[in-house]
Amino acid sequence: MLSNVEDLRNHLQASIIFLNQFKHLTDAYIIEYFTDSHWEKLPGSWRSFLDDLEPPDLAEQLLGEGIKNGRQTSVCPLSLLCFKRCSRLFALQRPALHCSNNATGQNKLLKHIYRKHVSPKKQHEISILAKVIEKTFLESNCSHVIDAGSGQGHLSRLLTLGYDLPVIALEREETFLEEARKFDVEAMNHVKKVCEKEGELRHPPMQVPTHVHCSLPPDEGAKHFIQKLSDATRKKVGGNSADNPHFMLTGLHACGDLSATMVRLFKESSSIKSLVSVSCCYMKLTTDSINNDACDVTRASQIYYPMSDYVGSIANHQLPYKARELSCHAIEDYRQRLKENGPHLKMHCYRAVLEVLLTRQHPDLIRVGARTVKKAYNLPFTEYVKRAFQRLNLPPCDVTMLCSSNIEEMLNDWRHLVTYFTLSLLLAPVIESIILMDRLLYLKENGFRSEISSIFEPLLSPRCFVIIATKES
């Protein structure tokens, strides 16, 4: 992992230069594959080499280490090999560090009470992240853990009852808080029964979820935010014994701006001594759609990418919505889907051909959010179109359009579409890495000890990176 500021800057600059060469992949909407002739935008040598590869071949040739089944019939172009190599070079490493549970299995490292109501994926995440939080909490001499965007309180509950850490859970959705309180009571009753049975009755700290709107920009709302945390802390411990609390701020897959807000709050508030942040939903980040103006401080405080001064100074650099949405795809999971070569892969093509029909019959509809037709890959295309038009409240599709010969040709071209999407997916880890390393550089530019680590198994939890930052005591 890059730790030196200058090395980080150089790596980010090279990553952005590389990414800029493939905007036709990162910024392209797969539903416009036919309407915008995406396949034709690829180099001719790439198209020739990829032309007849089946999905399992793509899994190995593009997302794996290379073809192992002997079906390679031509030499891979050097430019494509370089593309694949650079996409890995400029991405944070995503090793499978842990043995995952299967899709329906339970994490046996957690006691039953911490598995109840919790999906296997979430069990995997909280069991690992809790250990990281405890270590950072103790090393940074904090008094309370603040779990931002705590949801139903699964992480907070484990930290409080399993690790004896004083936790305040912050969640903006009251329905989640109600569920968390209900699960807390259930868990506390269970713990008391176990302790009584073992003759070791103890009273672990009680979780006090507090409703706080967590999307305030630091320079406008940090003081107000910290005051709410301090009030919640005093309420938790009683009296004035927590007049000067020291917080550790954490969040498991804090969505969009929330994870970036946490980074800013850590920087702005002297009361927050450490940060443990796992991000997700980069497409929801507030960005500058034109270009950053470093002189406009108010405007810059409302932007959550880029955050570092260095990336903000790179002229004309942007990560549009589509590129950020691409960064959230699960590349390991898609590799498995390619290997299985199931009929669901054709769904990309169904939606892209639907876009052709929509633009022909309803040219005013651009990138319309067509609601998913359940298990559409099991339907004839005509039935899929019928249901899609119904869900969009549109009159039936023109039959002559459905029967035209080029519709059948497009449907038969689904392998090329899958290949194109797989190529774009190679850049997803690069985009995520740029976003996270920009935050890391922001922390380092401000003099904080900080690092990024991969802590979850990517196949089970694709957003597997954690940013850890601490302040000098």
Side-chain angles (χ1 to χ4, degrees), residues 144-163:
H144 294 79
V145 176
I146 306 302
D147 183 9
S150 57
Q152 296 178 333
H154 302 312
L155 174 62
S156 296
R157 196 170 304 112
L158 175 60
L159 293 172
T160 302
L161 303 181
Y163 286 81

Side-chain angles (χ1 to χ4, degrees), residues 77-296:
L78 182 59
S79 58
L80 180 55
L81 288 173
C82 290
F83 170 76
K84 179 181 173 181
R85 174 58 180 159
C86 288
S87 68
R88 294 189 176 185
L89 178 66
F90 293 123
L92 293 166
Q93 292 186 3
R94 301 166 61 86
L97 298 179
H98 309 279
C99 295
S100 70
N101 308 293
N102 58 41
T104 58
Q106 300 292 310
N107 190 318
K108 300 303 182 182
L109 298 177
L110 287 177
K111 294 181 180 179
H112 168 74
I113 191 58
Y114 305 120
R115 300 199 305 265
K116 196 171 182 180
H117 310 297
V118 187
S119 69
K121 174 180 179 291
K122 184 71 73 175
Q123 291 176 30
H124 172 78
E125 292 163 352
I126 65 174
S127 65
I128 295 170
L129 186 60
K131 295 177 182 177
V132 176
I133 289 172
E134 181 193 39
K135 181 175 183 293
T136 307
F137 179 86
L138 295 175
E139 290 176 349
S140 54
N141 296 316
C142 291
S143 59
H144 294 79
V145 176
I146 306 302
D147 183 9
S150 57
Q152 296 178 333
H154 302 312
L155 174 62
S156 296
R157 196 170 304 112
L158 175 60
L159 293 172
T160 302
L161 303 181
Y163 286 81
D164 287 331
L165 298 182
V167 179
I168 299 173
L170 306 179
E171 172 56 51
R172 60 188 294 176
E173 299 295 336
E174 186 60 36
T175 52
F176 287 158
L177 288 176
E178 291 174 2
E179 287 293 298
R181 294 185 187 106
K182 182 176 71 174
F183 295 157
D184 288 344
V185 172
E186 185 179 316
M188 280 300 299
N189 290 337
H190 175 84
V191 170
K192 288 179 180 178
K193 287 181 181 178
V194 171
C195 290
E196 288 173 353
K197 185 176 180 180
E198 296 177 353
E200 297 177 357
L201 181 61
R202 62 187 178 89
H203 300 282
M206 291 294 291
Q207 184 187 29
V208 185
T210 304
H211 182 68
V212 174
H213 192 282
C214 299
S215 59
L216 295 173
D219 60 304
E220 294 179 7
K223 186 176 181 180
H224 175 69
F225 181 86
I226 296 302
Q227 185 59 52
K228 283 207 170 190
L229 296 187
S230 299
D231 291 344
T233 304
R234 281 189 285 273
K235 179 180 178 182
K236 186 179 182 71
V237 301
N240 297 317
S241 56
D243 286 342
N244 296 298
H246 289 167
F247 301 115
M248 191 191 94
L249 188 57
T250 191
L252 174 54
H253 290 148
C255 185
D257 287 345
L258 178 55
S259 57
T261 297
M262 289 167 57
V263 173
R264 278 220 180 115
L265 285 169
F266 169 78
K267 181 245 181 183
E268 295 293 332
S269 174
S270 60
S271 297
I272 301 176
K273 297 299 183 182
S274 56
L275 171 74
V276 176
S277 171
V278 182
S279 308
C280 73
C281 302
Y282 305 116
M283 79 288 274
K284 297 181 181 180
L285 281 172
T286 301
T287 63
D288 190 341
S289 59
I290 305 174
N291 196 22
N292 291 319
D293 184 352
C295 296
D296 189 342

Side-chain angles (χ1 to χ4, degrees), residues 245-386:
H246 289 167
F247 301 115
M248 191 191 94
L249 188 57
T250 191
L252 174 54
H253 290 148
C255 185
D257 287 345
L258 178 55
S259 57
T261 297
M262 289 167 57
V263 173
R264 278 220 180 115
L265 285 169
F266 169 78
K267 181 245 181 183
E268 295 293 332
S269 174
S270 60
S271 297
I272 301 176
K273 297 299 183 182
S274 56
L275 171 74
V276 176
S277 171
V278 182
S279 308
C280 73
C281 302
Y282 305 116
M283 79 288 274
K284 297 181 181 180
L285 281 172
T286 301
T287 63
D288 190 341
S289 59
I290 305 174
N291 196 22
N292 291 319
D293 184 352
C295 296
D296 189 342
V297 177
T298 301
R299 184 163 164 242
S301 70
Q302 298 170 348
I303 296 169
Y304 293 93
Y305 180 83
M307 295 185 71
S308 69
D309 291 338
Y310 179 76
V311 176
S313 70
I314 298 177
N316 301 315
H317 169 59
Q318 300 172 38
L319 284 182
Y321 172 87
K322 189 61 187 73
R324 288 179 280 118
E325 188 272 336
L326 178 65
S327 73
C328 294
H329 282 272
I331 191 169
E332 291 83 8
D333 176 69
Y334 197 72
R335 183 185 178 197
Q336 292 295 111
R337 294 172 65 187
L338 288 172
K339 286 182 176 181
E340 294 165 2
N341 198 11
H344 52 271
L345 292 174
K346 295 183 180 181
M347 277 313 305
H348 293 306
C349 194
Y350 269 29
R351 181 60 184 88
V353 178
L354 175 65
E355 191 71 9
V356 172
L357 295 172
L358 288 171
T359 55
R360 288 178 181 176
Q361 194 165 338
H362 303 278
D364 55 316
L365 295 179
I366 300 175
R367 298 173 186 168
V368 63
R371 291 169 55 196
T372 302
V373 177
K374 190 175 182 180
K375 294 186 177 180
Y377 52 84
N378 289 329
L379 300 174
F381 180 68
T382 53
E383 180 62 24
Y384 165 76
V385 172
K386 176 183 175 182

Side-chain angles (χ1 to χ4, degrees), residues 446-465:
N446 285 282
F448 303 121
R449 294 193 303 265
S450 49
E451 62 178 291
I452 298 177
S453 298
S454 172
I455 61 172
F456 304 142
E457 182 173 344
L459 186 59
L460 192 61
S461 182
R463 307 283 70 78
C464 58
F465 296 106

